[in-house]
Amino acid sequence: QVQLVESGGGLVQAGGSLRLSCAASGRTFNSYAMGWFRQAPGKERGFVSAITWSFGLTYYTESVKGRFTISRDNAKNTVYLQMNSLKPEDTAVYYCAARGGRIISAALTTLTTYQYWGQGTQVTVSS
């Protein structure tokens, strides 16, 4: 089992920045691919970003490329999502997710790939 706890959400003006953290406990963190998803009111949960456990390869949804950066610190069992140039449309609950074992990179964008989920943290961007 892996437990995930997100933090760092809040209210920020458009153009501002936030850094989300996801602290993991349980099994060996550095063998898990980690992802961030978000869900806005009335919308489905969607992929934001992911990072592999081997080589630290990163993936982003098109709308956040160049603004968001995912990273991980295996020594701290933590994955981060640095969010810059935030827009009102980034407003959502952001969820951290983990997946162990080998998977193809294309699967990292899919909800059902992930075995473990955090409780979510609210990000609100005001215009």
Side-chain angles (χ1 to χ4, degrees):
Q1 284 283 357
V2 173
Q3 292 78 43
L4 304 173
V5 179
E6 302 98 332
S7 61
L11 173 64
V12 64
Q13 289 189 330
S17 299
L18 284 173
R19 188 176 80 158
L20 305 184
S21 299
C22 174
S25 60
R27 291 189 174 181
T28 306
F29 173 77
N30 60 8
S31 65
Y32 283 75
M34 302 297 296
W36 286 98
F37 288 74
R38 64 186 179 186
Q39 187 168 18
K43 295 188 177 180
E44 294 185 350
R45 193 173 300 188
F47 172 75
V48 177
S49 183
I51 185 166
T52 63
W53 68 268
S54 59
F55 307 113
L57 300 177
T58 59
Y59 303 88
Y60 300 92
T61 192
E62 194 64 34
S63 63
V64 308
K65 284 181 180 178
R67 299 189 298 123
F68 291 11
T69 303
I70 190 171
S71 62
R72 64 191 298 161
D73 185 336
N74 288 339
K76 295 182 178 180
N77 287 358
T78 301
V79 64
Y80 303 98
L81 186 67
Q82 177 67 44
M83 306 186 296
N84 299 328
S85 302
L86 283 161
K87 304 175 181 180
E89 51 263 43
D90 295 317
T91 294
V93 177
Y94 282 71
Y95 297 90
C96 173
R99 163 62 190 250
R102 292 179 179 270
I103 54 172
I104 60 173
S105 58
L108 290 171
T109 64
T110 304
L111 276 170
T112 54
T113 292
Y114 294 86
Q115 300 159 307
Y116 305 102
W117 291 84
Q119 83 290 346
T121 185
Q122 176 71 46
V123 171
T124 303
V125 185
S126 63
S127 58

